[in-house]
Amino acid sequence: VVPGVTLRLVQPNISQTDKWSGDKRIENFNKQLAMSAAPGIDRISAVIWSETAVPFTLSWEPEAQKALGAILPPGALALVGATRATPYGTEPLQAWNSIYAVDRAGTVLATYDKAHLVPFGEYVPLRELLAPLGIEKITAGSVDFSPGPGPRTIDLPGLPPVSPQICYEAIFPGAVLDPSAPRPGWMLNVTNDGWYGQTSGPHQHFAIARTRAVEEGLPLVRAANTGISGVVDGYGRVTGEIALGQAGILDAALPAALPETPYARWGDAGFWLLLALGLLFGWIGRPARRTLRPPAAGLP
């Protein structure tokens, strides 16, 4: 494990119906603050909330940023999912699905913006053609999210460098790390699987995210609204978990990164090489073709 680093994952288990309800947003925010400040907070290095766990645009709410900072012990951070937007009233308005890193003073130290957006959930493709037909997003809000620049490695005080992913960004092999940056010490995946309820979807999503940990040899920390939240080491072993459909917190050590794996170094090149070798050996080992000759004259 990484010495001196303990993470607190917060899974509030807020239903999708209540998550964006106007009269419950402050209640939902305060619920997660209270869960985060539970006994033991004094030894926590970072409190982690799920995707869009803050049910309003955090960049417009400095008081909410201060409220997040107020629950933290000295030196700790809050890593929370929330929308981010250009200053209120600016035109054109842009918004992002983001992760914020907030310190004890309520200062935003860094943000990460989701790059792989969900069509019709986070934006309407070909909006100029489809909007006149009445086709809009199936989620709350009329503004399309803007995509972020892609994988990043973020340096944060008191923590190893981290590569964040939001929701299904964790399902893309070879696309979870910034190839131009030094290798991070861990990956952070925040998600809201509340859309899927008690189905196989959250289990499949968690299993696919675990695969990224094995491929990269890096621990994966996953915070989900309704589950499954957990910590996975570089071998794919789950070292701590909050089950689907349960509210709770998980205090967990951060597993240490493994040495760089062959996949992390060469990506899909190994697959294509094995495929080419298989085809080559299959061709070399094919049975020799026999030529049938006509029977000799006079033989029946």
Side-chain angles (χ1 to χ4, degrees), residues 212-297:
R212 303 290 83 77
V214 177
E215 287 174 348
E216 303 294 344
L218 293 174
L220 173 77
V221 177
R222 188 173 193 266
N225 168 30
T226 57
I228 303 167
S229 301
V231 177
V232 181
D233 69 12
Y235 295 105
R237 299 175 299 196
V238 179
T239 62
E241 179 180 335
I242 308 175
L244 177 64
Q246 294 185 6
I249 60 173
L250 172 65
D251 293 349
L254 177 63
L258 301 178
E260 190 176 33
T261 64
Y263 186 87
R265 181 170 297 180
W266 296 302
D268 291 334
F271 166 77
W272 294 112
L273 176 61
L274 291 174
L275 179 61
L277 289 174
L279 293 174
L280 176 63
F281 288 127
W283 183 81
I284 293 174
R286 74 193 190 285
R289 181 180 297 177
R290 295 182 178 181
T291 302
L292 297 178
R293 298 181 179 179

Side-chain angles (χ1 to χ4, degrees), residues 43-283:
R43 58 186 179 85
I44 297 299
S45 308
V47 173
I48 301 175
W49 291 12
S50 63
E51 178 188 12
T52 59
V54 179
F56 41 80
T57 303
L58 188 57
S59 56
W60 291 350
E61 304 291 345
E63 292 304 315
Q65 297 171 26
K66 292 179 181 178
L68 280 166
I71 65 171
L72 300 173
L77 300 176
L79 307 177
V80 300
T83 56
R84 189 175 73 85
T86 49
Y88 188 79
T90 58
E91 293 292 343
L93 178 67
Q94 279 188 282
W96 295 267
N97 185 354
S98 304
I99 297 173
Y100 290 71
V102 180
D103 68 8
R104 195 179 186 214
T107 303
V108 177
L109 301 183
T111 58
Y112 168 79
D113 302 323
K114 186 178 181 183
H116 290 282
L117 300 178
V118 180
F120 301 104
E122 294 173 308
Y123 76 103
V124 177
L126 304 174
R127 174 174 281 279
E128 295 79 6
L129 298 176
L130 298 180
L133 302 177
I135 298 176
E136 288 290 346
K137 293 192 305 176
I138 61 174
T139 55
S142 59
V143 177
D144 286 346
F145 282 120
S146 298
R152 289 183 58 199
T153 297
I154 299 177
D155 288 309
L156 296 171
L159 298 172
V162 60
S163 177
Q165 303 130 28
I166 297 178
C167 194
Y168 85 144
E169 288 187 313
I171 74 171
F172 297 99
V176 292
L177 304 184
D178 181 357
S180 65
R183 188 168 183 252
W186 59 300
M187 298 182 291
L188 171 64
N189 178 220
V190 301
T191 188
N192 173 31
D193 286 348
W195 294 98
Y196 305 108
Q198 295 282 340
T199 68
S200 62
H203 296 278
Q204 293 170 345
H205 198 185
F206 184 49
I208 295 171
R210 286 176 63 188
T211 306
R212 303 290 83 77
V214 177
E215 287 174 348
E216 303 294 344
L218 293 174
L220 173 77
V221 177
R222 188 173 193 266
N225 168 30
T226 57
I228 303 167
S229 301
V231 177
V232 181
D233 69 12
Y235 295 105
R237 299 175 299 196
V238 179
T239 62
E241 179 180 335
I242 308 175
L244 177 64
Q246 294 185 6
I249 60 173
L250 172 65
D251 293 349
L254 177 63
L258 301 178
E260 190 176 33
T261 64
Y263 186 87
R265 181 170 297 180
W266 296 302
D268 291 334
F271 166 77
W272 294 112
L273 176 61
L274 291 174
L275 179 61
L277 289 174
L279 293 174
L280 176 63
F281 288 127
W283 183 81

Side-chain angles (χ1 to χ4, degrees), residues 20-56:
W20 295 102
S21 175
D23 59 344
K24 293 186 177 180
R25 292 190 184 192
I26 299 302
E27 177 185 332
N28 293 339
F29 181 68
N30 288 337
K31 174 183 179 179
Q32 292 173 94
L33 285 177
M35 294 175 69
S36 302
I41 185 65
D42 55 300
R43 58 186 179 85
I44 297 299
S45 308
V47 173
I48 301 175
W49 291 12
S50 63
E51 178 188 12
T52 59
V54 179
F56 41 80

